[in-house]
Amino acid sequence: MADDQRPGRGRRPTLMDVAEHAGVSRATASLVVRKSPLVSQTTRQRVEAAMAELGYVYNAGAARLRASRSRTVGVVVPNLTNPFFAVLIAGMEAVFETEDLAVILANSNEDIAKQAGFLKRMREHAADGVIVCPCEGSDRRLVEDAAKWELPLVQALRYVPETTSDYAGIDYREGMRDATERLIALGHRDILFVSGNRRHSARFDRLAGFCAAMEAHGFDAGGVVELRLTHTAARAAASTILDRQKRPSALLCFNDVVALGLHRGLLDLGLRLGRDVSLVGFDDVAEAALVLPGLTSVATRPFEVGENAARLLLRRIHAPAAAIERRIVPTRYVERESTGPAPAALDHGLGLP
Amino acid sequence: MADDQRPGRGRRPTLMDVAEHAGVSRATASLVVRKSPLVSQTTRQRVEAAMAELGYVYNAGAARLRASRSRTVGVVVPNLTNPFFAVLIAGMEAVFETEDLAVILANSNEDIAKQAGFLKRMREHAADGVIVCPCEGSDRRLVEDAAKWELPLVQALRYVPETTSDYAGIDYREGMRDATERLIALGHRDILFVSGNRRHSARFDRLAGFCAAMEAHGFDAGGVVELRLTHTAARAAASTILDRQKRPSALLCFNDVVALGLHRGLLDLGLRLGRDVSLVGFDDVAEAALVLPGLTSVATRPFEVGENAARLLLRRIHAPAAAIERRIVPTRYVERESTGPAPAALDHGLGLP
DNA sequence: CCGCGAAATTGGATCGATCCAATCCTAGGC
DNA sequence: GCCTAGGATTGGATCGATCCAATTTCGCGG
């Protein structure tokens, strides 16, 4: 209640002051702030009253120095600007908030040196653990170093190949395989995978899903093109993308940024989406439902992935020797008007490539 | 280089170990890590070599206990899920990263109790300062408490009325005034302001800009409607919004979320945007350029606001007594196809309301 | 070779909470 | 009335870096 400690008094009250004021020892006061069951009800109340009266503020730094835990976790993402990561972080934050853990956030900007720098800083701040969405070009040392340092680490959304750590992610492979199957079921044979130019597991898995479906049906999975992951790049690429020896009847995009850019680009060319050409995005961002015609997309649940990652980290912190766990959330195909049956076959009617 | 300290050795090397290994005193080693100019070149090199050899890790917690600075800042935003805030944070992060400051992030979720809780936590962690985007319902105590605690605080994007603290924001008022003027210049008289349902300075300022322009021309500024700030709510509201005694010829939206929702909703009703009705958004999100017809919007620069907020905080930390500063970035009107001349006057031709 | 000011270095005290082993109560059993 | 078990409490040592005042080293002119 009364937090009107003398303002000019200079020094913030310490646990020592609280103890004195409550007529107990430092050690007992310490037990109270830590909510230990060892103190009696009456003592606890007396100390808490003293804390309120003096306007006591817990000094986490001092505690950390003596104790092992710091009640701090680190989060490193490669691109804060991307709304997808923002939601991911919101999911983590929601979990950590309930545990009273402070989240130290860092943006690696897909820069491996920066990422390493942040990990160093997290160690300096004695973070209890870190969640990393490894930036492009990360290698095994990321995980190995953390192990050496005994720093609990979970990977989220992406993983470094051949590493073993807890992992929370999305079933990119199955999501993309499913989407491909849907297109195939609509009669599409020449499907182009419009990928981003970044090399990481999230891209690799998606591509693998696409290839798996295509090859399962004996179709050519070679239709892959790479773009920068921006609306403008995708929009501008619309015309060149259709200019292939075998013109694709469907475009399967790495994510909705690419898909929405192409959406506009294709409309600019006078094409009818869902009729002349089918278009599928990935992530199912809110705007996918707003554009006309609506963009078919594969819904992912980044918030949930964030929650999973946070829970995995909590578990790892409490049980450093527990078995490795991977939590993969499934995707959901959301059909809208941008997809439709393949146009009547022209030059490729007989199923032979 | 060689960071292969004996893994099982248990204890991490301390400055003391480094000093011993380099043949200097603790105090000198401390000066080296702090990059003090007081040590000689040769000593510095010797100590740095020892640090590398032992795999020394700076203990920020211990330093914080003794020193006053903690090299940590707090950031509190009301809604991490909103991409707008994600970009804002990215801007702050970019500045703090260059200063080697750790960012503790918190999401208040527009919940005043949570916001207060975070501020408490930031004090416990002895943050050097905080940036707050005050959640709805914040009052002067936010700023007054921070002052009492001698905690440097800057407000970003929103401010609590009648408070004096550093502030980094956007010129919402002028942006909205300008947009209103543009619509008036196109002949619009019945303009409806489609607002969000949140009460904070960012809303108030926008509304003020709208009213200022309308009243300057002697038009009725009473056309204001409130919606939940989601695509779906806006989309669903399209039909009821036009159902007013005097049907508006132009809609001026609180932000692009509302505008994009209405964009789709109006198209669903068979209206031609830019002809039958004009639509203006706010923020100029990437998707505004992608929808058809393109959405006219007022561009803001959240990244820059984030940078500004971070710089203000740095300045305040270094000079706690400096004069209050407010940095407002201007907006830019981006005209696209969703706006056009007012349709020929039907029932309101004579300029009288 | 001395002296002197500036530069470089140092030991001890300190920040504030936690750990640990030891001590103090206090009821309840005999 | 004595003893004991176990719950409650406590003082001292400690974590690792920084501050501060004091001391040593160095360079160089006289």
Side-chain angles (χ1 to χ4, degrees):
Chain A
M1 300 291 121
D3 55 350
D4 57 324
Q5 81 272 38
R6 5 271 170 269
R9 240 292 235 82
R11 208 170 50 84
R12 280 191 350 187
T14 73
L15 252 197
M16 176 73 124
D17 299 325
V18 170
E20 229 162 63
H21 194 270
V24 298
S25 75
R26 247 171 327 135
T28 305
S30 174
L31 291 174
V32 172
V33 287
R34 280 179 286 159
K35 305 199 192 309
S36 157
L38 287 161
V39 289
S40 69
Q41 269 306 322
T42 48
T43 312
R44 159 159 295 129
Q45 282 167 3
R46 214 146 33 107
V47 173
E48 277 168 355
M51 285 178 16
E53 212 164 318
L54 296 178
Y56 170 71
V57 179
Y58 183 72
N59 185 328
R64 153 176 341 177
L65 179 57
R66 192 66 179 81
S68 40
R69 291 200 60 183
S70 74
R71 307 207 66 75
T72 287
V73 295
V75 172
V76 187
V77 296
N79 181 6
L80 254 181
T81 307
N82 186 335
F84 191 83
F85 286 108
V87 178
L88 179 81
I89 293 169
M92 299 177 186
E93 216 276 342
V95 172
F96 289 134
E97 199 266 324
T98 65
E99 297 281 325
D100 217 48
L101 287 173
V103 176
I104 298 186
L105 180 69
N107 183 2
S108 71
N109 246 309
E110 300 283 11
D111 177 338
I112 187 122
K114 258 189 198 165
Q115 178 173 278
F118 282 126
L119 252 59
K120 178 174 173 237
R121 192 178 305 170
M122 306 267 159
R123 283 182 81 203
E124 295 183 351
H125 283 274
D128 290 335
V130 293
I131 297 177
V132 181
C133 178
C135 75
E136 196 183 355
S138 302
D139 63 20
R140 317 175 37 164
R141 270 174 301 173
L142 172 68
V143 175
E144 289 169 357
D145 284 350
K148 190 168 70 189
W149 301 332
E150 299 178 48
L151 175 68
L153 176 145
V154 339
Q155 299 182 77
L157 229 42
R158 305 177 185 171
Y159 53 86
V160 182
E162 300 172 41
T163 56
T164 50
S165 82
D166 296 313
Y167 170 66
I170 292 172
D171 201 343
Y172 287 126
R173 190 176 191 285
E174 177 56 23
M176 206 47 105
R177 200 195 59 74
D178 179 40
T180 311
E181 287 286 358
R182 307 275 189 147
L183 288 174
I184 291 173
L186 285 169
H188 294 278
R189 298 296 174 264
D190 297 311
I191 306 177
L192 184 64
F193 185 80
V194 187
S195 168
N197 57 343
R198 296 271 171 202
R199 309 271 154 188
H200 46 60
S201 67
R203 174 184 184 277
F204 180 81
D205 288 355
R206 280 182 240 214
L207 191 51
F210 168 70
C211 293
M214 291 298 272
E215 282 160 9
H217 289 267
F219 302 148
D220 177 18
V224 177
V225 71
E226 291 191 6
L227 297 181
R228 268 191 311 121
L229 289 174
T230 65
H231 287 125
T232 43
R235 181 174 175 184
S239 60
T240 63
I241 268 182
L242 295 179
D243 243 3
R244 297 172 61 89
Q245 59 198 64
K246 194 156 287 180
R247 178 173 170 158
S249 68
L251 305 174
L252 194 51
C253 300
F254 176 80
N255 66 14
D256 280 348
V257 172
V258 171
L260 288 170
L262 279 178
H263 185 280
R264 173 64 190 254
L266 295 168
L267 291 183
D268 288 344
L269 294 173
L271 289 163
R272 295 167 304 172
L273 295 181
R275 306 201 51 176
D276 302 324
V277 62
S278 284
L279 182 66
V280 180
F282 207 99
D283 284 347
D284 193 36
V285 299
E287 287 80 10
L290 288 180
V291 291
L292 267 174
L295 175 68
T296 296
S297 190
V298 178
T300 55
R301 297 195 296 257
F303 193 91
E304 221 167 289
V305 177
E307 290 179 314
N308 281 342
R311 295 216 185 86
L312 285 177
L313 184 58
L314 290 177
R315 195 190 59 117
R316 174 68 47 197
I317 289 171
H318 288 114
I324 295 293
E325 187 174 340
R326 298 167 66 83
R327 286 199 201 168
I328 316 286
V329 306
T331 59
R332 189 170 46 89
Y333 187 77
V334 180
E335 187 154 29
R336 297 200 183 86
E337 304 86 40
S338 72
T339 44
L346 298 174
D347 56 345
H348 56 18
L350 301 177
L352 282 176
Chain B
M1 300 286 124
D3 57 350
D4 57 322
Q5 83 270 42
R6 6 268 171 272
R9 238 293 234 82
R11 206 170 51 84
R12 279 191 352 185
T14 74
L15 251 197
M16 176 72 125
D17 299 326
V18 170
E20 228 163 62
H21 195 270
V24 298
S25 74
R26 246 172 329 131
T28 303
S30 174
L31 291 174
V32 172
V33 288
R34 279 180 287 159
K35 305 200 193 309
S36 156
L38 286 160
V39 289
S40 70
Q41 269 307 322
T42 48
T43 312
R44 159 159 296 129
Q45 283 167 3
R46 212 143 37 107
V47 173
E48 276 168 354
M51 285 177 19
E53 214 164 319
L54 296 177
Y56 170 72
V57 179
Y58 183 72
N59 185 327
R64 150 175 346 175
L65 180 56
R66 192 66 180 80
S68 39
R69 295 199 55 182
S70 74
R71 306 207 67 75
T72 285
V73 296
V75 172
V76 186
V77 296
N79 180 4
L80 253 180
T81 308
N82 185 334
F84 192 81
F85 286 108
V87 177
L88 180 81
I89 293 169
M92 299 175 186
E93 216 276 342
V95 172
F96 289 135
E97 199 265 323
T98 65
E99 297 282 323
D100 218 49
L101 288 173
V103 176
I104 298 186
L105 181 70
N107 184 4
S108 72
N109 247 309
E110 298 283 9
D111 177 338
I112 188 123
K114 256 189 200 167
Q115 179 174 278
F118 282 125
L119 252 58
K120 179 175 173 237
R121 192 179 304 171
M122 306 265 161
R123 283 182 82 203
E124 294 182 351
H125 282 275
D128 290 335
V130 294
I131 298 176
V132 180
C133 180
C135 74
E136 196 181 354
S138 303
D139 63 20
R140 318 175 36 163
R141 269 175 300 173
L142 173 68
V143 174
E144 289 168 357
D145 284 352
K148 190 168 69 188
W149 301 331
E150 297 178 48
L151 176 67
L153 176 145
V154 339
Q155 298 183 76
L157 230 41
R158 304 177 186 170
Y159 53 87
V160 181
E162 300 172 42
T163 56
T164 50
S165 81
D166 296 312
Y167 170 66
I170 292 172
D171 200 342
Y172 288 125
R173 189 176 193 284
E174 177 57 21
M176 204 50 102
R177 202 196 57 74
D178 179 40
T180 311
E181 286 287 357
R182 306 275 189 150
L183 288 174
I184 291 174
L186 284 169
H188 295 279
R189 299 294 176 262
D190 297 311
I191 306 177
L192 184 67
F193 186 81
V194 187
S195 169
N197 58 342
R198 296 271 173 203
R199 308 271 154 188
H200 45 60
S201 66
R203 173 184 184 277
F204 180 81
D205 288 355
R206 280 180 242 214
L207 190 51
F210 167 70
C211 293
M214 292 298 273
E215 283 159 9
H217 289 267
F219 302 146
D220 177 19
V224 176
V225 71
E226 290 190 6
L227 297 181
R228 269 193 311 120
L229 289 174
T230 64
H231 287 125
T232 43
R235 181 175 174 182
S239 59
T240 64
I241 267 182
L242 294 180
D243 243 2
R244 297 171 62 87
Q245 59 199 66
K246 194 155 286 180
R247 175 170 171 158
S249 68
L251 306 173
L252 194 50
C253 300
F254 177 80
N255 67 14
D256 281 347
V257 171
V258 172
L260 288 170
L262 279 179
H263 185 280
R264 174 62 189 255
L266 294 168
L267 291 182
D268 288 345
L269 293 174
L271 289 164
R272 294 167 304 171
L273 295 182
R275 306 200 51 175
D276 303 325
V277 61
S278 284
L279 182 66
V280 179
F282 208 100
D283 285 347
D284 192 37
V285 300
E287 287 79 9
L290 289 179
V291 292
L292 267 174
L295 175 68
T296 297
S297 190
V298 178
T300 55
R301 297 197 294 260
F303 193 90
E304 223 167 286
V305 177
E307 290 180 314
N308 281 341
R311 295 216 186 87
L312 284 177
L313 184 58
L314 290 177
R315 194 190 60 119
R316 175 68 47 199
I317 289 171
H318 288 113
I324 296 292
E325 188 174 340
R326 299 169 65 84
R327 287 199 200 168
I328 317 285
V329 307
T331 58
R332 190 168 46 89
Y333 186 77
V334 180
E335 187 154 30
R336 298 202 182 86
E337 304 84 46
S338 73
T339 44
L346 298 175
D347 56 345
H348 54 21
L350 300 179
L352 283 176

